[in-house]
Amino acid sequence: MDTVSPPMYRWNTIPWRKLERAVFKLQKRIFQASQRGDVRAIHRLQRLLIHSSSAKYLAVRRVTQDNQGKKTAGVDGVKSLTPEARLKLVNNLKLKPSGKATRRVWIPKPGKNEKRPLGIPTMYDRALQALVKMAMEPEWEAKFEAKSYGFRPGRSAHDAIQAIFSSIKQCPKYVLDADISKCFDRINHSKLLQKTETFPKLKRILSQWLKAGVKDGNNWLTTEEGTPQGGVISPLLANIALHGLETAVRAAIPGSITVNGKRQHNWKPEVVRYADDFVILHRDVQVLKKCQQVAQEWLKQIGLEINWEKTQIVHSLESGKGYQTGFDFLGFEIRQYHTDKHNSARNYQNEPLGFKTIIKPSFQAIQRHYEHLATIVDQHRSTPQYVLIQRLNSVITGWTNYYRTACSGKTFRKLDELIYKKLLAWAIRRHQNIGIREVVNKYWRQIGKAKWTFATTEGLYLGRHSATPKIRHLIVKGSSSPFDGNWQYWTTRLRKHPEINPKVAKLLKLQKGVCVHCGLLFKSGDLIEVHHQDGCTSNNHVNNLMALHRHCHDQIHGQKVYK
């Protein structure tokens, strides 16, 4: 499995394609062994992968070139490694943690005054965690429940929303909208390590990471429970800890029941989980309350509890029964409305149901987005117009792509109207000695058929929310995984994902999902960048563009990714 020897290559001459293929073959074998329950084969293959030079190179590249936090240091102050330092890290990488604590960084929660603690490991621990994750993730991808969507390759928040829509589109239901209190901070270590069921040496390594401690400023704190947010392997460990919740809830409820002398089938509740947020859906509120008790008791076993302040029972359609109508989940508002027969949803016999399911951006998400845009405008009072446009476009594109699968047309048009008023005030403030007509003619132009477009004389213009086309997201197949080897399915899903940039999606289709530089297929989680072949970033003709991995893009330009 040692496809390369460290002394033989410099960083820019390593055969990455050969390494990627070798590692994926092992991961696929681990996935298949986990599917058939062959524990001995799983552990043997995991040891082989962890000791493989190929996997070590890929782990180091992932944390030093691809990860967004590559320029963030741990307690040892190491960051932004040079190519020589990366090779040295590969040579020193062994199944033994550094023994150093994580560095605590506080980041604000969106839309709240609270802050979330992140634990930043050392660069060595990050690389080792990435290596261990390569070995453990295929095993658990074969075990995880079908409707667990958070922090998993090939799955996203849009799959969770589509699963909820599929559950209620034919029948209104009561919904337990639940939240786990401080999930990452309170997971019981012994219960988590027991659930991993891995070999003793790896279990000791995981235990040392969990109990490494935290340095918060000048204070050193012990960690007797929880997994540090910010670690490479922390999301996987959190998913392992919460694995089994759906099975426990569904097992407590019979599959059918007699109601008013009639046998009701399909009585099992639906559980949709995204990380530490989950919803349980059922047509009977008493059954839902029993599910709530089952979930509460199950969470206690791993040291967790439901956050009652953020947990509520609602109904997707009916109101006036003491329950709120509709609920928010992952930034979306999900609600059903009574309609006439012409606008109603229809059942499988094409009969009107009398209601319609509407999923749209939540009020809080809209408010946070507009406040973000308004703050950007206020912070660029004296900057050139093109700088403001570039900054706003990046935010608008990301937000609209996330919500393009929902009923967002009215919301998008309203946001365009609000940002126009904000920009008009921005422009008038800059030119108080001329009339409004002259101000408008200076900053707004006709681009194509679109009039009143905020644009520069060079043709750079502000994108509109309403210009984003709506697409329908297809939910991921139940037990499918990127480790099953079905590359045609996963590359197609990647280019059709709602959050993929339309320009990148077009390039992926032309390139058949393959990176032109390294020849490997793009996978879920890969960072994709657009390369201009002639070096002119203003020439965005499709013949001048290529979709590349971030590390391939760096290699082509010969850039040093450290400072």
Side-chain angles (χ1 to χ4, degrees):
M1 208 39 223
D2 290 341
T3 54
V4 296
S5 300
M8 292 175 57
Y9 293 94
R10 290 180 298 175
W11 191 260
N12 61 347
T13 63
I14 295 172
W16 295 110
R17 182 174 182 176
K18 187 177 182 181
L19 271 58
E20 290 262 16
R21 286 184 172 181
V23 170
F24 179 76
K25 285 180 181 179
L26 271 183
Q27 290 181 316
K28 184 177 179 180
R29 290 173 65 187
I30 294 171
F31 177 80
Q32 293 171 341
S34 182
Q35 282 184 319
R36 63 178 185 267
D38 191 345
V39 178
R40 293 185 63 182
I42 293 172
H43 293 172
R44 176 175 55 83
L45 293 167
Q46 285 177 335
R47 290 190 189 95
L48 188 60
L49 189 147
I50 290 173
H51 291 94
S52 162
S53 293
S54 301
K56 290 179 181 179
Y57 274 94
L58 293 175
V60 170
R61 184 179 70 173
R62 189 160 299 172
V63 300
T64 60
Q65 288 188 275
D66 291 344
N67 283 7
Q68 300 288 357
K70 62 188 178 183
K71 296 182 181 180
T72 304
V75 294
D76 59 354
V78 176
K79 61 178 181 179
S80 302
L81 299 185
T82 64
E84 292 76 17
R86 294 179 204 141
L87 289 172
K88 185 177 179 180
L89 179 56
V90 171
N91 296 336
N92 295 333
L93 204 59
K94 298 178 181 178
L95 198 57
K96 181 180 179 181
S98 68
K100 295 182 179 179
T102 59
R103 183 171 70 90
R104 176 154 291 177
V105 176
W106 294 89
I107 61 171
K109 291 185 177 181
K112 300 180 182 178
N113 295 326
E114 304 176 25
K115 289 188 176 182
R116 177 185 290 115
L118 291 185
I120 310 299
T122 63
M123 192 65 72
Y124 176 89
D125 279 340
R126 274 180 258 177
L128 187 55
Q129 287 182 15
L131 181 62
V132 171
K133 184 181 178 183
M134 284 184 192
M136 291 184 63
E137 196 167 47
E139 173 193 358
W140 283 94
E141 277 299 306
K143 296 179 180 179
F144 281 143
E145 293 153 326
K147 294 189 178 179
S148 166
Y149 298 104
F151 303 130
R152 293 182 59 189
R155 284 164 167 75
S156 66
H158 299 89
D159 293 302
I161 297 300
Q162 188 63 30
I164 294 173
F165 174 76
S166 299
S167 177
I168 66 175
K169 65 179 181 179
Q170 295 289 315
C171 176
K173 293 180 180 179
Y174 290 93
V175 182
L176 173 66
D177 180 16
D179 179 82
I180 301 173
S181 179
K182 297 183 178 179
C183 176
F184 283 86
D185 300 331
R186 294 181 178 175
I187 294 174
N188 185 285
H189 287 174
S190 60
K191 295 292 185 182
L192 171 59
L193 294 172
Q194 184 180 351
K195 287 188 72 173
T196 58
E197 298 179 344
T198 188
F199 53 92
K201 186 173 183 179
L202 184 52
K203 189 174 291 188
R204 287 195 297 270
I205 299 297
L206 295 174
S207 178
Q208 290 173 20
W209 277 328
L210 294 173
K211 299 183 182 299
V214 175
K215 184 182 180 183
D216 189 356
N218 295 324
N219 300 322
W220 291 84
L221 308 173
T222 59
T223 50
E224 300 299 329
E225 59 183 6
T227 61
Q229 298 185 62
V232 177
I233 202 171
S234 296
L236 175 61
L237 294 178
N239 267 335
I240 293 173
L242 294 172
H243 172 64
L245 175 62
E246 177 185 348
T247 303
V249 171
R250 289 175 62 86
I253 307 299
S256 59
I257 192 173
T258 302
V259 179
N260 297 328
K262 295 183 179 181
R263 197 69 175 170
Q264 296 278 357
H265 297 283
N266 298 326
W267 201 249
K268 292 284 186 181
E270 295 288 337
V271 182
V272 178
R273 181 173 68 84
Y274 188 89
D276 58 339
D277 294 323
F278 66 93
V279 294
I280 304 177
L281 307 103
H282 199 275
R283 67 189 83 174
D284 191 315
V285 68
Q286 298 303 322
V287 173
L288 200 63
K289 290 179 178 179
K290 182 178 180 181
C291 293
Q292 179 177 333
Q293 295 175 357
V294 172
Q296 182 181 356
E297 293 299 322
W298 187 90
L299 288 171
K300 283 183 180 179
Q301 299 174 9
I302 55 174
L304 300 176
E305 61 182 4
I306 293 177
N307 186 344
W308 297 110
E309 294 182 358
K310 299 181 180 179
T311 299
Q312 58 179 346
I313 294 179
V314 301
H315 196 275
S316 61
L317 173 64
E318 299 175 5
S319 58
K321 294 185 177 181
Y323 297 100
Q324 178 182 329
T325 304
F327 63 101
D328 294 348
F329 192 64
L330 303 178
F332 292 87
E333 179 189 294
I334 304 169
R335 184 171 177 173
Q336 293 173 314
Y337 298 85
H338 290 287
T339 62
D340 57 36
K341 65 179 182 180
H342 301 290
N343 297 314
S344 169
R346 295 179 176 270
N347 61 17
Y348 298 113
Q349 289 75 38
N350 202 30
E351 300 169 344
L353 295 171
F355 64 87
K356 190 172 185 178
T357 304
I358 301 294
I359 299 177
K360 58 185 179 181
S362 68
F363 174 78
Q364 291 80 5
I366 298 170
Q367 190 175 36
R368 285 197 302 268
H369 177 61
Y370 175 70
E371 289 175 355
H372 189 189
L373 295 178
T375 301
I376 292 173
V377 175
D378 292 338
Q379 291 174 345
H380 290 74
R381 291 180 176 180
S382 303
T383 56
Q385 183 187 16
Y386 76 91
V387 176
L388 175 60
I389 291 176
Q390 290 175 339
R391 186 72 182 91
L392 289 174
N393 277 344
S394 63
V395 176
I396 292 173
T397 300
W399 197 84
T400 54
N401 284 348
Y402 183 78
Y403 289 104
R404 67 193 303 190
T405 61
C407 300
S408 308
K410 185 176 180 180
T411 299
F412 287 175
R413 290 191 293 272
K414 182 63 176 178
L415 284 168
D416 285 337
E417 179 182 345
L418 290 174
I419 196 63
Y420 164 74
K421 293 179 179 178
K422 186 70 178 179
L423 290 173
L424 183 60
W426 173 88
I428 291 174
R429 180 187 176 278
R430 292 163 67 97
H431 303 280
Q432 299 180 6
N433 297 325
I434 62 176
I436 295 180
R437 184 182 295 275
E438 288 77 8
V439 170
V440 170
N441 291 335
K442 180 176 179 64
Y443 290 104
W444 276 266
R445 295 170 176 80
Q446 179 170 344
I447 304 295
K449 296 182 179 180
K451 298 181 179 179
W452 297 89
T453 301
F454 191 69
T456 65
T457 55
E458 293 78 16
L460 179 65
Y461 63 92
L462 180 68
R464 297 173 185 258
H465 293 77
S466 55
T468 303
K470 180 180 178 180
I471 64 172
R472 181 169 182 177
H473 181 69
L474 297 178
I475 191 170
V476 63
K477 294 179 182 177
S479 58
S480 296
S481 170
F483 299 109
D484 59 16
N486 187 358
W487 288 112
Q488 182 177 2
Y489 174 74
W490 289 105
T491 52
T492 302
R493 277 189 64 81
L494 179 62
R495 65 179 174 84
K496 291 185 177 181
H497 194 275
E499 293 186 273
I500 200 78
N501 187 294
K503 183 192 299 182
V504 175
K506 185 174 183 179
L507 292 173
L508 290 179
K509 184 176 181 180
L510 292 173
Q511 297 172 200
K512 299 182 179 179
V514 176
C515 175
V516 177
H517 182 71
C518 66
L520 290 172
L521 288 165
F522 291 102
K523 304 189 298 294
S524 174
D526 286 347
L527 295 174
I528 305 173
E529 296 184 348
V530 176
H531 171 63
H532 295 77
Q533 298 185 53
D534 62 359
C536 179
T537 55
S538 61
N539 181 7
N540 290 314
H541 192 275
V542 69
N543 293 330
N544 186 48
L545 305 178
M546 292 192 301
L548 303 173
H549 292 103
R550 172 178 285 182
H551 45 262
C552 294
H553 199 197
D554 289 342
Q555 190 172 351
I556 285 180
H557 284 283
Q559 294 176 341
K560 294 183 178 180
V561 294
Y562 58 93
K563 291 183 179 179

